[in-house]
Amino acid sequence: MSNQEQPTPRRARVRAPELVGKGGWLNTGGKNLTLADLRGRCVVLDFWTFCCVNCLHVLDELRELEERHRDTVVIIGVHSPKFVHEAEHQAVVDAVERYGVEHPVLDDPELATWKQYAVRAWPTLVVIDPEGYVVAQHAGEGHAHAIEKLVEELEAEHGAKGTLRRGDGPYVPPEPVATDLRFPGKAVRLPGGSFLVSDTTRHQLVELAADGEQVLRRIGTGERGLTADSFNEPQGLALLPDGRVAVADTVNHAVRVFDPETGVLETVAGTGKQWWQGSPTSGPARAVDLSSPWDIAWWRDRLWIAMAGVHQLWTYDPAAGTVEVAAGTTNEGLVDGPAAEAWFAQPSGLAAAGDRLWIADSETSAVRWVEPAEEGDGYVVRTAVGTGLFDFGHRDGAAGQALLQHPLGVTALPDGSVAIADTYNHALRRFDPASGEVTTLATDLREPSDAVLVDDDIVVVESARHRLTRLRLPEEAIRVESVAHRTQRAATEVAPGALRLDVVFQAPAGQKLDTRYGPSTRLLVSATPPELLADGAGAGTDLARDLLLADGVTEGVLHVSAMAASCDDDPDIEYPACHVHQQDWGVPVEIAEGGVARLGLVLAGLDAE
């Protein structure tokens, strides 16, 4: 029997551990919550961190569930940081407002609750029944439908038992703050000298005068939507050759075009739905799904799109009205080479400069670029700064050993160098290809996310200070004391030799694996360093695999990507509803005698072993 077909009890009685976090509670009006306070409600714990685009997808997936079951369901965000900056309490406060989180959030900077629940990946969802027992765990995206089905079962079961308590939840909204901008994302300078800024949290564009302060007009209603006068957390902006402005409408999964002269807003790419594995990757732009486009840039007669949600670069050809993948495999990581084989990790900033398109690859804390291949057609991807998903910090010097921390923006400078909005270091950095050096241009910026060159000045989008800040480009860069970090996640001790990998997946109630068009599951395994795996790397369709760890390698990271598709299990339904569930794990491992010989990762359900 294959792994995905193994029956697992749907009601395993596991008492939920208490919710503990040194940062305390947000969105509760100052009250500290306990599981006892939540007894009688269906509780969904959302383990998230605000750097993670997949976590942001889940926040959006949960909004409808939150609204439809507001009197029985309490969603609790458990903020579990990856980067050092994300462990700062004020940064969590900012993120909760930035992304419109309308439920209580526990700030857990030391990962105490994460460890108690044995969580291995961002995002992870845990469902607790009204009596305080864990009944399901889901990793990754695409689980909102399954959780809603489970909630409906719990409502019926505990309503009949008398253990369901309906009523208002513990959410208390924070007091709104009056500022002209609220967590602005990106900016572009219009031909007349004014600035157009994506006012991300307010779902608008704002035009500011040349001083960067006076508001000239607002574009958009300020409500989430995909209409002729609405956006949904817009980010990137790019000036097109005809004077119009392209907009990366991130949570709408769309590219829009705004005409500053007429005020007309139109959608040119995307359907409003999120791209999933198996969806088309090219075709008529309005008929192809996109996934969290974060930035855009006009380069080589195309609009290039940093598709943060699937770790790729796409292009939009306005002449043909088509989109297509230009670089990246959807695997998350840092791999250079031919564009079709490269790996990215949440590309979030783009800047065109001659034969190079610079990229801020945020999750690898890297700056990279794309350029035409020397021989034949196509493009190649190269890395200027950054080593991978787990190393970050603030270190200047030779690019090979320099460190950044989750940069979101890049800006081409006149001398051929590139300015870097080094977001989680609160700094503006510079990489000079001529010298191969990284320097610091400015510090004490609050989560800078973009910058615009204006003559001899650079105007920085200080996202968490809700403003544009004008700086003189210094001739001599600032030197800062070096700081280096590694992602703080405990490694799993595994025994040498054979390692059984089991990805647990149980289809939601009333659904079955969708095998109409072949296998409905996919598993991709790789390792850093690649030498860690002597056997078992590569793609397959079974969610269980026997791996062989190589002799002589003592530690590394196993990269596991799993996907499963399930559909309504009812022969009377002519067009069954189908859902895709997917997650990527990066599991640090140490080889040790006495370590485990089985690694169980839960995509959906509960691990019985």
Side-chain angles (χ1 to χ4, degrees):
M1 183 179 287
S2 69
N3 173 265
Q4 60 263 35
E5 295 171 343
Q6 292 175 359
T8 297
R10 291 187 59 81
R11 292 290 183 269
R13 302 292 281 176
V14 179
R15 175 66 73 178
E18 191 53 81
L19 305 176
V20 179
K22 285 191 72 173
W25 288 88
L26 307 176
N27 284 355
T28 62
K31 177 180 172 62
N32 292 327
L33 297 180
T34 66
L35 285 175
D37 298 324
L38 304 173
R39 195 63 51 83
R41 313 299 288 271
C42 302
V43 178
V44 180
L45 303 183
D46 175 16
F47 290 87
W48 70 299
T49 190
F50 64 77
C51 72
C52 159
V53 72
N54 311 91
C55 298
L56 304 185
H57 290 166
V58 167
L59 283 176
D60 291 310
E61 288 179 7
L62 292 176
R63 291 187 201 280
E64 289 187 25
L65 172 70
E66 202 165 22
E67 186 58 41
R68 283 200 290 263
H69 298 268
R70 193 170 289 280
D71 66 334
T72 58
V73 172
V74 176
I75 295 175
I76 302 288
V78 182
H79 189 269
S80 312
K82 172 186 175 182
F83 289 98
V84 169
H85 169 59
E86 293 174 306
E88 296 176 15
H89 182 69
Q90 186 56 48
V92 181
V93 173
D94 288 345
V96 167
E97 180 187 351
R98 180 194 296 269
Y99 297 115
V101 180
E102 295 185 353
H103 50 248
V105 173
L106 175 64
D107 180 10
D108 183 18
E110 297 179 349
L111 303 182
T113 296
W114 164 287
K115 293 170 186 172
Q116 284 294 307
Y117 281 83
V119 174
R120 290 185 180 273
W122 298 276
T124 291
L125 299 167
V126 175
V127 182
I128 302 172
D129 73 11
E131 293 180 292
Y133 291 93
V134 173
V135 292
Q137 181 172 323
H138 301 76
E141 302 179 50
H143 300 294
H145 172 79
I147 290 175
E148 183 157 33
K149 287 284 189 185
L150 178 55
V151 162
E152 290 168 356
E153 291 180 13
L154 293 173
E155 287 173 343
E157 176 184 333
H158 289 272
K161 289 173 63 176
T163 50
L164 184 70
R165 177 169 57 88
R166 296 179 179 269
D168 292 335
Y171 170 65
V172 178
E175 289 293 322
V177 182
T179 53
D180 288 333
L181 300 173
R182 206 69 195 159
F183 298 104
K186 306 285 186 180
V188 68
R189 196 181 186 206
L190 298 178
S194 61
F195 296 94
L196 194 64
V197 184
S198 55
D199 197 18
T200 303
T201 298
R202 292 201 177 122
H203 317 295
Q204 292 180 316
L205 306 183
V206 176
E207 185 178 359
L208 299 177
D211 63 4
E213 296 182 9
Q214 181 189 354
V215 175
L216 300 180
R217 61 173 162 169
R218 295 182 179 277
I219 299 100
T221 63
E223 300 293 326
R224 295 178 188 270
L226 183 56
T227 68
D229 59 356
S230 64
F231 300 94
N232 195 346
E233 296 185 27
Q235 288 281 353
L237 304 169
L239 193 63
L240 300 177
D242 63 6
R244 297 187 300 164
V245 177
V247 184
D249 198 359
T250 304
V251 180
N252 274 330
H253 309 295
V255 174
R256 323 288 295 280
V257 170
F258 171 68
D259 188 336
E261 295 296 322
T262 64
V264 171
L265 174 66
E266 62 174 315
T267 301
V268 297
T271 63
K273 296 179 180 178
Q274 183 183 340
W275 186 94
W276 289 96
Q277 291 287 351
S279 301
T281 56
S282 64
R286 290 295 308 277
V288 176
D289 298 338
L290 309 181
S291 182
S292 297
W294 207 275
D295 202 11
I296 44 182
W298 184 258
W299 187 58
R300 299 178 68 85
D301 298 321
R302 299 284 191 278
L303 191 67
W304 288 68
I305 306 165
M307 206 71 77
V310 284
H311 319 299
Q312 291 179 313
L313 303 182
W314 288 41
T315 58
Y316 164 64
D317 181 351
T322 57
V323 292
E324 64 180 353
V325 174
T329 64
T330 76
N331 294 327
E332 184 179 14
L334 194 155
V335 176
D336 289 342
E341 301 170 15
W343 292 21
F344 298 95
Q346 260 175 250
S348 301
L350 299 175
D355 286 336
R356 288 187 177 183
L357 179 69
W358 292 102
I359 305 154
D361 202 30
S362 62
E363 279 293 289
T364 51
S365 297
V367 170
R368 307 172 73 186
W369 78 87
V370 176
E371 63 185 8
E374 292 181 4
E375 296 180 5
D377 296 330
Y379 296 90
V380 293
V381 177
R382 307 193 191 281
T383 296
V385 187
T387 60
L389 288 165
F390 302 101
D391 292 293
F392 58 92
H394 192 151
R395 181 195 287 155
D396 285 337
Q401 56 87 53
L403 293 173
L404 310 169
Q405 187 179 180
H406 198 81
L408 290 178
V410 280
T411 305
L413 299 179
D415 64 356
S417 66
V418 59
I420 307 158
D422 193 4
T423 309
Y424 288 2
N425 279 329
H426 310 299
L428 189 68
R429 312 284 291 284
R430 174 177 175 263
F431 167 65
D432 183 0
S435 66
E437 293 281 311
V438 174
T439 52
T440 298
L441 298 176
T443 56
D444 194 31
L445 301 166
R446 189 71 185 168
E447 291 192 23
S449 53
D450 196 19
V452 181
L453 196 64
V454 182
D455 302 322
D456 293 331
D457 294 342
I458 193 163
V459 176
V460 179
V461 180
E462 269 199 280
S463 188
R465 282 201 179 110
H466 320 292
R467 70 188 188 191
L468 303 188
T469 299
R470 186 181 291 257
L471 302 172
R472 175 68 61 173
L473 277 173
E475 294 182 12
E476 295 296 327
I478 300 168
R479 282 283 174 183
V480 299
E481 187 174 342
S482 296
V483 180
H485 300 287
R486 282 190 70 90
T487 299
Q488 296 303 304
R489 268 193 293 169
T492 299
E493 291 192 350
V494 296
L499 177 65
R500 174 72 171 183
L501 172 64
D502 284 326
V503 174
V504 177
F505 177 77
Q506 286 95 42
Q511 294 212 321
K512 64 179 181 179
L513 288 173
D514 177 19
T515 56
R516 291 172 298 164
Y517 307 107
S520 62
T521 55
R522 188 190 71 152
L523 182 65
L524 180 69
V525 180
S526 62
T528 303
E531 299 77 34
L532 175 65
L533 284 177
D535 191 34
T541 57
D542 195 345
L543 292 182
R545 188 176 301 179
D546 291 315
L547 309 179
L548 182 63
L549 303 173
D551 292 336
V553 182
T554 58
E555 63 178 4
V557 178
L558 289 174
H559 302 285
V560 180
S561 177
M563 185 271 288
S566 60
C567 292
D568 288 337
D569 185 12
D570 186 340
D572 295 331
I573 299 177
E574 184 176 1
Y575 300 107
C578 297
H579 301 271
V580 177
H581 319 260
Q582 65 182 45
Q583 172 61 10
D584 297 330
W585 291 268
V587 183
V589 295
E590 291 180 357
I591 316 303
E593 295 293 341
V596 298
R598 175 186 178 271
L599 180 61
L601 302 175
V602 177
L603 180 60
L606 291 172
D607 190 357
E609 295 188 37

